[in-house]
Amino acid sequence: MRETPVVSIRDVASHAGVSMGTVSNVLNQPELVSDATRARVLAAIDELGFVPNHAARQLRRGRSRTVGLVVLDVANPFFTDIAKGVEDTIGTAGMALIFCNSDGDRTREDAYLDLLKEQRVQGVLITPVDDASSRLLRLRDRGIHVVLLDRRSRNADLCSVSVDDRLGGELAVRHLLEAGHRRIAFVGGPVGLEQVRDRHTGAVQAMTGAGLAESDLPWLDTPALTVAAGRDAAARLLGAPRQNRATAVFCANDLLALGVLQGLTQQRIRVPEDIALVGYDDIDFAAAAAVPLTSVRQPRQRLGQTAAGLLLGEVNEPAEHRHQQVVFEPELVVRESSRRPLTPPTG
Ligand code: RIB
């Protein structure tokens, strides 16, 4: 298909019989141009179908008016809720979002970071696949500011916004222990993800705090934090001999928990009567589930707004900016999926 020729600012100037500087003034400082000349130039722009290339001008100035957001799984509403918070903040600053999905793959993540560098973004907000701080600090050495999302930075020179995932895991399992459960399973993975490890650590703290052993909390590792991985985990849970079967399950995020719920329901296992269930994030689908899901709430839009605010501060006032590692507290939201059964489980 033949591409239509791109109309340049030179074409507009020639068509209107003015200099390219006059066309530029009409586009950027119209108050400097007489009404008659401005009308002639605007008519030429309209007749030729000229489209100003703001991106080219911004790149010539050094930085585009864009921010990159790199997330682990664009199919997870946790990240789209975060993206909304980011957009709320950068939108008021006249900037746009470039939304990248690493899909938990380090190679894809690196490719997106290279692309964002080429696009001269003002900065990058990222939930990294692994401990990426050295790579991210190299980005900053090239003038691209970086803020970690959903992950606490160990490096004081890197801003981050996260939730206290250890406390979140502790809240979830303490709730199940108080409901009388003693055989509780943790479903989550990959174990390489720090958020998952921290939630598990908090869960173990709740178990040992109740005088139980870490071995009383079997960990069903999953290849991803998805509904499909949750369905597979449900089959594994039901594969245990009935007398050893968990009476409660804490999942590392809501998508896993919704998958476990689906898997159990398909096998006619009742939630919470036979097996209680707790998720993490409190995405909108948690409350809307067939059995409303108890979940550990993360303030997703606030996470996005706060991270974007830190980034804009670093971009606009680099001399005054002080790096911060902001940590929000999670909140347990109790719903049907873990309500105390009439007769305490024989866990
Ligand atoms: O970022 C890793 C996980 O933490 C995501 O799956 C999201 O659900 C959050 O809970």
Side-chain angles (χ1 to χ4, degrees):
M1 183 176 73
R2 209 163 62 82
E3 288 192 5
T4 51
V6 174
V7 177
S8 70
I9 201 166
R10 183 186 304 277
D11 299 328
V12 173
S14 163
H15 194 80
V18 300
S19 71
M20 289 196 298
T22 300
V23 176
S24 176
N25 284 339
V26 168
L27 293 171
N28 301 300
Q29 295 174 292
E31 68 281 2
L32 301 180
V33 185
S34 72
D35 292 349
T37 302
R38 188 162 67 244
R40 253 193 7 259
V41 171
L42 291 175
I45 286 173
D46 187 43
E47 287 156 22
L48 296 176
F50 170 72
V51 177
N53 187 341
H54 293 297
R57 181 164 65 249
Q58 284 166 354
L59 289 176
R60 277 196 298 278
R61 287 179 180 165
R63 288 264 162 250
S64 67
R65 300 288 296 158
T66 54
V67 164
L69 172 63
V70 185
V71 301
L72 288 172
D73 177 8
V74 70
N76 182 346
F78 170 80
F79 292 110
T80 45
D81 291 344
I82 280 190
K84 177 159 181 9
V86 171
E87 203 167 31
D88 289 346
T89 301
I90 67 166
T92 53
M95 299 172 82
L97 187 64
I98 301 178
F99 196 8
C100 307
N101 175 35
S102 68
D103 219 9
D105 179 292
R106 166 76 182 268
T107 307
R108 277 182 66 150
E109 183 181 271
D110 282 338
Y112 273 126
L113 290 175
D114 290 340
L115 180 140
L116 294 170
K117 214 165 25 184
E118 289 158 19
Q119 293 296 316
R120 304 286 186 84
V121 294
Q122 293 280 349
V124 174
L125 302 164
I126 182 168
T127 302
V129 171
D130 53 21
D131 178 16
S133 40
S134 55
R135 279 184 292 139
L136 300 176
L137 286 172
R138 281 200 303 275
L139 267 185
R140 211 202 15 234
D141 294 345
R142 289 172 177 75
I144 296 180
H145 302 286
V146 177
V147 174
L148 285 189
L149 252 173
D150 185 36
R151 168 82 61 79
R152 179 166 189 167
S153 169
R154 293 197 192 86
N155 185 318
D157 280 344
L158 202 55
C159 287
S160 65
V161 178
S162 60
V163 158
D164 182 342
D165 283 323
R166 291 188 181 187
L167 174 58
E170 190 171 354
L171 289 174
V173 170
R174 195 186 304 153
H175 162 67
L176 293 169
L177 291 166
E178 287 165 359
H181 296 281
R182 289 297 175 273
R183 284 204 311 277
I184 302 171
F186 178 79
V187 170
V191 70
L193 208 51
E194 187 175 297
Q195 295 90 315
V196 173
R197 287 201 306 274
D198 284 352
R199 291 165 201 173
H200 177 260
T201 299
V204 170
Q205 282 165 343
M207 296 292 281
T208 51
L212 298 165
E214 180 172 348
S215 56
D216 292 322
L217 181 79
W219 183 344
L220 279 75
D221 188 4
T222 61
L225 292 157
T226 60
V227 171
R231 280 197 301 270
D232 294 344
R236 289 153 59 194
L237 282 163
L238 298 179
R242 186 176 288 274
Q243 69 276 10
N244 299 339
R245 186 183 292 174
T247 62
V249 180
F250 167 41
C251 294
N253 83 346
D254 285 344
L255 294 185
L256 279 173
L258 293 171
V260 168
L261 177 63
Q262 191 182 21
L264 294 178
T265 307
Q266 283 168 351
Q267 298 303 318
R268 303 280 185 274
I269 301 296
R270 299 169 303 162
V271 174
E273 295 79 1
D274 299 329
I275 295 183
L277 189 55
V278 175
Y280 203 102
D281 293 338
D282 198 28
I283 58 177
D284 294 346
F285 293 123
V291 178
L293 183 65
T294 292
S295 184
V296 178
R297 173 173 294 164
Q298 295 207 66
R300 303 174 302 285
Q301 290 190 22
R302 279 190 67 202
L303 286 169
Q305 290 160 353
T306 305
L310 286 173
L311 186 70
L312 292 182
E314 189 169 337
V315 166
N316 298 326
E317 312 285 343
E320 289 72 29
H321 179 73
R322 294 292 171 269
H323 295 302
Q324 296 178 56
Q325 290 73 40
V326 178
V327 181
F328 286 96
E329 287 224 337
E331 172 198 357
L332 180 69
V333 179
V334 178
R335 299 193 178 96
E336 205 50 46
S337 74
S338 69
R339 285 215 196 285
R340 181 193 296 268
L342 296 177
T343 52
T346 53

